[in-house]
Amino acid sequence: MVTIKEIAAAVGVSSATVSRVLNYDSTLSISNRKRQAIIETAEALNYATPRNRNRANQQGLNKLALVHFLAPERELVDPYYVALRLGIERRCAALKIETVKVYHTDARPDAKLLQEASGTIAIGRHDEDETEWLQRNSRQIVFADHVPHDDQIDSVSADLRAAMEKLLAALAQRGYRRIAYIGWGDRRAQAFVQWMTAAGWFDDRLFRSGDNTEEGGYRLTRDILAERRPLDAIVTFNDSMAIGTYRALHEAGLSIPGDIGVASFNDISVAQFLNPPLTTVHLPAEEIGEAAVELLLERVGGRELAKQISLASRIVWRASTRALTGESAQ
C-alpha cells in the first residue's frame, strides 16, 4: 500500500503537509495548486487515509460480491472490463474490503455468495430478469457500466450517448459524412442512428449489429464492404472490434485513413500501437469501478436516495482519422 512519504516525495512537500491536506486540516496554509497536486497524486496512487480505510468496516462493508456479465475467458480478451474490475479491486484493497468474484456461466450463481456479502457490484449489462434476481439476493447493489431501467437502483457508467454524439460531430467537422457503424445495439448505437438520421446521412446498409470481438469486427466490416456503398469512415463499438476492422480493410487493399477512417471506443492500451494508431473515445473504466465502490459504501452507510452517476468521456485523436488543419494526431 502506498505511504504518505511516497506521496510527499512525488509532489515535493513534507509528509506532514500531505497528512494535513488528506485529513482536511483547514488551518493549513498552502496554495490551491499544491493542495490539488497532493490530492491528485494520492488518488493516482490509490491512497486511502486510515480514516477512510476504517470507514468501510465502520459502515459494515467488509465483503463485496463482484458479479460479472462476462465469462472469465471473455473478460481476459477485453481490456476495458479488466480495467474496470481492477478499479473496483484496487479501491477495495485500499479500504480493506474482501472481494468475491462471480463470473457469468450458463446457470445463475449461488445466491449464498451474494447473500453472505455486505453488498454487490454488478459489472456490465444484465437483463431485467437478472437485475431483479440480483436485487432480490443482494443486501445492497450497484451496477457498474450499466444503467438499469429502474431509477431506484444505483449505477455508475460513462455517458455513451453523449460520447457518440461528440465523436460524430467531431468526425463531421473533419469532413466525414458517409459513416458506418458496427457493434452492439446499446446507447451508443441508438445515438448513432439518431444523430446520423438528423444530419440526413444515415444509411441502414452501413449499420451492422453483432459480436463485439475482434472476429466480429472483421466479419461485420467485410459485410459493410460487400455492400459497395460510398464510405468515408467506420465507427466500431470498441477497440477490439476496430482491430478486426483494420484486418478487413487491409485485406481489401484499403488504406487507413487515406481511403477509410476508423474510430472506436474504450482506448485500451493496444490502441496507440496499431498501424496506424487508433482514434478512440476514452471511457473511464477504472474510475467507474472506483465510483461503484463509493456508491456501495454510501448505501451500506444508510443513504436512501438512489444515485445514477454518469462520467464524462474524451476523444483521443490518433492517425486512423484525418486531422483538422493545423491539428496533429497523437
Side-chain angles (χ1 to χ4, degrees):
M1 185 177 296
V2 69
T3 65
I4 283 179
K5 185 176 180 180
E6 290 170 313
I7 298 171
V11 181
V13 297
S14 69
S15 296
T17 298
V18 172
S19 178
R20 292 175 69 182
V21 167
L22 296 181
N23 284 285
Y24 306 101
D25 185 345
S26 60
T27 66
L28 176 65
S29 177
I30 186 174
S31 70
N32 288 335
R33 184 175 180 180
K34 187 67 73 174
R35 184 187 301 274
Q36 186 68 23
I38 292 170
I39 292 171
E40 289 180 351
T41 301
E43 289 177 346
L45 296 175
N46 208 34
Y47 176 79
T49 65
R51 178 187 302 173
N52 280 340
R53 289 198 294 270
N54 293 332
R55 179 164 61 105
N57 289 331
Q58 290 170 354
Q59 294 181 344
L61 183 55
N62 47 42
K63 186 176 183 180
L64 183 154
L66 188 53
V67 180
H68 212 303
F69 83 121
L70 292 176
E73 62 273 13
R74 287 290 303 276
E75 187 212 37
L76 286 175
V77 297
D78 194 328
Y80 172 80
Y81 282 108
V82 172
L84 196 158
R85 174 175 56 79
L86 290 177
I88 295 172
E89 292 179 339
R90 275 197 285 266
R91 190 65 186 140
C92 285
L95 295 171
K96 297 184 178 179
I97 301 170
E98 178 187 354
T99 58
V100 178
K101 292 188 282 290
V102 182
Y103 284 96
H104 177 81
T105 63
D106 292 335
R108 281 182 175 158
D110 184 350
K112 286 185 178 180
L113 292 174
L114 278 61
Q115 295 164 357
E116 292 173 355
S118 308
T120 299
I121 293 179
I123 296 177
R125 184 179 181 82
H126 292 79
D127 64 30
E128 291 188 24
D129 287 343
E130 291 170 335
T131 298
E132 192 277 331
W133 185 89
L134 289 168
Q135 270 191 290
R136 188 170 65 250
N137 289 286
S138 301
R139 298 183 189 182
Q140 302 289 348
I141 188 166
V142 174
F143 282 81
D145 201 53
H146 173 59
V147 183
H149 293 304
D150 186 350
D151 65 1
Q152 296 306 303
I153 303 175
D154 282 9
S155 67
V156 55
S157 63
D159 190 337
L160 297 177
R161 178 175 293 276
M164 177 60 84
E165 292 172 349
K166 178 165 54 179
L167 176 61
L168 290 173
L171 289 173
Q173 192 177 18
R174 286 159 173 74
Y176 293 103
R177 297 292 183 272
R178 298 179 294 273
I179 306 172
Y181 174 81
I182 59 172
W184 276 0
D186 70 345
R187 285 173 292 156
R188 77 196 84 185
Q190 296 166 5
F192 178 90
V193 173
Q194 292 171 0
W195 195 96
M196 291 289 288
T197 299
W201 302 336
F202 181 70
D203 183 343
D204 61 2
R205 287 165 291 187
L206 299 181
F207 184 90
R208 289 287 190 280
S209 296
D211 194 20
N212 63 332
T213 62
E214 178 180 343
E215 190 58 34
Y218 174 75
R219 178 177 54 80
L220 295 176
T221 300
R222 284 173 57 92
D223 289 348
I224 291 282
L225 295 176
E227 292 286 348
R228 299 190 178 278
R229 303 287 295 169
L231 183 61
D232 294 334
I234 298 175
V235 173
T236 69
F237 176 90
N238 63 19
D239 298 338
S240 297
M241 293 193 80
I243 295 171
T245 293
Y246 270 45
R247 179 156 59 99
L249 293 177
H250 289 320
E251 286 183 1
L254 298 168
S255 68
I256 306 170
D259 295 313
I260 297 176
V262 180
S264 183
F265 287 81
N266 288 2
D267 192 26
I268 63 176
S269 57
V270 73
Q272 62 187 308
F273 300 115
L274 296 179
N275 184 24
L278 176 64
T279 290
T280 182
V281 178
H282 177 84
L283 301 179
E286 291 188 33
E287 291 85 350
I288 288 173
E290 293 168 357
V293 176
E294 293 301 320
L295 285 183
L296 196 57
L297 270 173
E298 293 176 8
R299 275 294 199 184
V300 172
R303 173 173 54 81
E304 296 182 359
L305 182 66
K307 289 184 178 180
Q308 294 191 333
I309 297 176
S310 181
L311 302 184
S313 63
R314 60 182 173 84
I315 304 173
V316 182
W317 293 105
R318 298 191 179 105
S320 67
T321 51
R322 54 180 174 252
L324 290 171
T325 303
E327 177 186 69
S328 60
Q330 294 184 17

